[in-house]
Amino acid sequence: MKTYAALLFAVAILLCNPHSRYVTLPGYAFKTDPACKRTQPISRFDRRCDYPSLGFPDFVPPIIGIVGV
């Protein structure tokens, strides 16, 4: 049982950090891949080379309808 728990814990840690090739730039709200050929200047978010520091890329929250009375 302890072996399964340790295995599950190890897999969870590996899945939580899938973007290890990205490095943090001081002062910017995104991480960037230094090996990527950029199409935008370093001060702007480049969809091919950058990854947001917080949240998920291309996330759209679900639309919740408001029921009027």
Side-chain angles (χ1 to χ4, degrees):
M1 186 66 160
K2 290 182 183 180
T3 306
Y4 294 120
L7 180 63
L8 181 64
F9 184 70
V11 168
I13 288 175
L14 289 174
L15 291 177
C16 288
N17 192 12
H19 304 286
S20 60
R21 71 176 184 227
Y22 294 99
V23 294
T24 304
L25 295 175
Y28 293 101
F30 54 85
K31 298 178 182 181
T32 188
D33 182 5
C36 182
K37 184 177 179 185
R38 300 185 65 84
T39 58
Q40 297 289 331
I42 193 70
S43 61
R44 296 194 57 203
F45 186 82
D46 191 346
R47 187 174 286 271
R48 290 187 334 172
C49 300
D50 297 334
Y51 189 82
S53 293
L54 297 174
F56 303 100
D58 302 325
F59 175 75
V60 178
I63 298 173
I64 300 174
I66 300 174
V67 178
V69 179

